[in-house]
Amino acid sequence: MSLLTVQQVSKAYKFHIGVFKSRKFFALKSVSLQVRAGEILALVGESGSGKTTLGKLVLRLEKPTEGKIFFDGVEVSNFGKEYTRYVSAVFQDPASSLNPRMSVREILEEPLMVHGYKDRERRILNALVDAGLGEEYLFRKPYQLSGGQKQRVAIARATVLEPKLLVADEPTASLDASLRKGILELFSKLRLKGISVLLITHDIRTVDYIADRVAVLYRGRLLELGTKEQVLKTPLHPYTKYLIQNIPAEHPSQRRTTQIVEAQANAEEVCPFYPLCEHKMDECKVELKEAFIDGRLVCCNIY
Ligand code: ADP
Ligand code: MG
């Protein structure tokens, strides 16, 4: 069952090219996807592809230019403040998302107060323990925590209201490789409790650990969406194939340099991978067809 439905969503930003002149460009163009109840959907794409923009739209921090987003069948703009009880967020940099003046206990208590919960002690402790920290952390302040511990506190804060969906935007990007796995395992644990996760990452390796399905975004377009096995083991879109062949090795000495530079949002082009695609055809400049193959979506005219 679909918990979150993103329906043909576009997001345009204006940017100034002179004092009185501005241009509009699409950071997202006609993106449709669903997050099912109890799954981890990974949204992957290189820097600038529109991942954070989609996360912000889901969190209602921004509004779509076109299209609609539904949560549990209701358009998200129809919810009041209770929306933050159902959908919460974890961001990349825990150092800037935690108030440095508050203790861990105060940080975790805040959302419970906002929503008028009475049994706060119990909920705070549960969330803290579920995030892999103990009672002894309650009275620490963020500066007394390591990076990994801060991110655990951020996850505890995001789950203290027992949300249905967690949007995690590059949650491990600011952590040392040695800490990443532990944080990713926390998301798997959350799924066991029935919490769905929209896991945003530029690092396709992250996905291999924990995702159920994978959505590939490039320059604001959704190019492929399928199960983790489909997308990682037998990718169909030429861009996904390219991305997987060029996964940077863990160790810098084994890394190949990649041809693609950072994606510039330019989602008005029909197929954003056209300039680099080995299979390009004239029709790719005019139309981008969707195909469903074994239940997976691939937006490419060769299928
Ligand atoms: P990602 O998270 O995949 O790196 P973003 O969603 O942050 O990508 O950005 C997608 C594109 O939209 C980028 O080109 C970025 O510069 C642009 N963008 C993001 N937010 C804004 C904004 N508030 N105003 C103008 N442009 C923006
Ligand atoms: Mg981002």
Side-chain angles (χ1 to χ4, degrees):
M1 206 198 74
S2 162
L3 182 65
L4 181 86
T5 304
V6 174
Q7 204 174 74
Q8 298 202 307
V9 162
S10 299
K11 177 71 185 176
Y13 287 116
K14 261 192 191 165
F15 65 97
H16 292 278
I17 50 169
V19 182
F20 299 110
K21 266 191 177 172
S22 65
R23 273 225 310 260
K24 200 164 88 164
F25 77 96
F26 283 89
L28 287 174
K29 187 76 179 174
S30 207
V31 170
S32 299
L33 55 81
Q34 298 188 335
V35 182
R36 299 173 183 160
E39 79 165 343
I40 299 183
L41 176 70
L43 182 63
V44 304
E46 55 201 273
S47 174
S49 54
K51 305 179 301 294
T52 295
T53 302
L54 188 64
K56 283 182 182 164
L57 296 174
V58 171
L59 291 165
R60 301 197 311 181
L61 301 172
E62 306 239 18
K63 287 194 174 129
T65 313
E66 291 158 18
K68 290 182 174 158
I69 301 178
F70 299 89
F71 180 79
D72 248 349
V74 180
E75 203 182 340
V76 296
S77 56
N78 291 333
F79 286 93
K81 81 166 184 190
E82 76 278 10
Y83 191 69
T84 56
R85 217 172 66 209
Y86 305 138
V87 182
S88 64
V90 176
F91 298 105
Q92 173 171 345
D93 183 10
S96 60
S97 68
L98 301 177
N99 185 332
R101 282 186 288 271
M102 285 184 166
S103 65
V104 170
R105 186 183 182 286
E106 288 165 329
I107 288 168
L108 300 187
E109 190 168 28
E110 200 178 32
L112 293 164
M113 306 252 276
V114 169
H115 290 281
Y117 282 82
K118 297 230 160 62
D119 53 347
R120 298 199 289 271
E121 288 308 313
R122 180 184 68 81
R123 287 173 184 272
I124 289 171
L125 211 55
N126 281 349
L128 196 64
V129 171
D130 284 349
L133 298 173
E135 219 173 328
E136 66 276 19
Y137 289 90
L138 278 175
F139 297 99
R140 290 207 198 174
K141 296 212 166 148
Y143 77 90
Q144 296 165 315
L145 301 169
S146 70
Q149 289 165 345
K150 279 188 203 130
Q151 197 58 305
R152 286 176 188 273
V153 171
I155 291 170
R157 180 183 55 187
T159 53
V160 74
L161 297 171
E162 296 177 17
K164 292 185 184 172
L165 174 68
L166 188 67
V167 177
D169 191 351
E170 308 271 11
T172 59
S174 67
L175 303 176
D176 290 345
S178 58
L179 295 173
R180 284 187 195 147
K181 205 159 163 240
I183 297 291
L184 292 172
E185 278 162 5
L186 279 184
F187 292 113
S188 292
K189 270 214 263 167
L190 293 177
R191 174 182 45 190
L192 293 178
K193 292 179 74 183
I195 299 178
S196 303
V197 182
L198 177 61
L199 176 70
I200 296 174
T201 176
H202 70 278
D203 181 4
I204 205 161
R205 269 187 310 240
T206 304
V207 167
D208 218 357
Y209 287 128
I210 55 161
D212 297 300
R213 293 190 304 144
V214 179
V216 179
L217 203 63
Y218 181 58
R219 295 191 175 199
R221 290 271 189 176
L222 183 66
L223 297 183
E224 185 157 358
L225 199 171
T227 63
K228 177 176 70 182
E229 286 72 26
Q230 287 174 329
V231 175
L232 298 190
K233 299 223 169 76
T234 57
L236 289 182
H237 197 286
Y239 173 67
T240 320
K241 288 182 187 170
Y242 178 89
L243 197 65
I244 287 167
Q245 277 163 11
N246 289 286
I247 294 176
E250 285 274 9
H251 196 272
S253 67
Q254 292 165 343
R255 282 185 200 156
R256 284 195 273 162
T257 49
T258 56
Q259 185 191 4
I260 293 190
V261 286
E262 184 173 301
Q264 303 283 314
N266 189 10
E268 277 165 302
E269 274 176 32
V270 175
C271 179
F273 194 55
Y274 181 83
L276 295 167
C277 184
E278 289 174 12
H279 308 280
K280 62 185 164 202
M281 301 175 273
D282 282 345
E283 62 178 284
C284 306
K285 289 192 272 186
V286 192
E287 193 187 7
L288 183 56
K289 278 192 231 137
E290 290 184 348
F292 289 91
I293 300 167
D294 297 333
R296 130 191 27 199
L297 165 77
V298 53
C299 298
C300 178
N301 295 335
I302 58 178
Y303 298 102

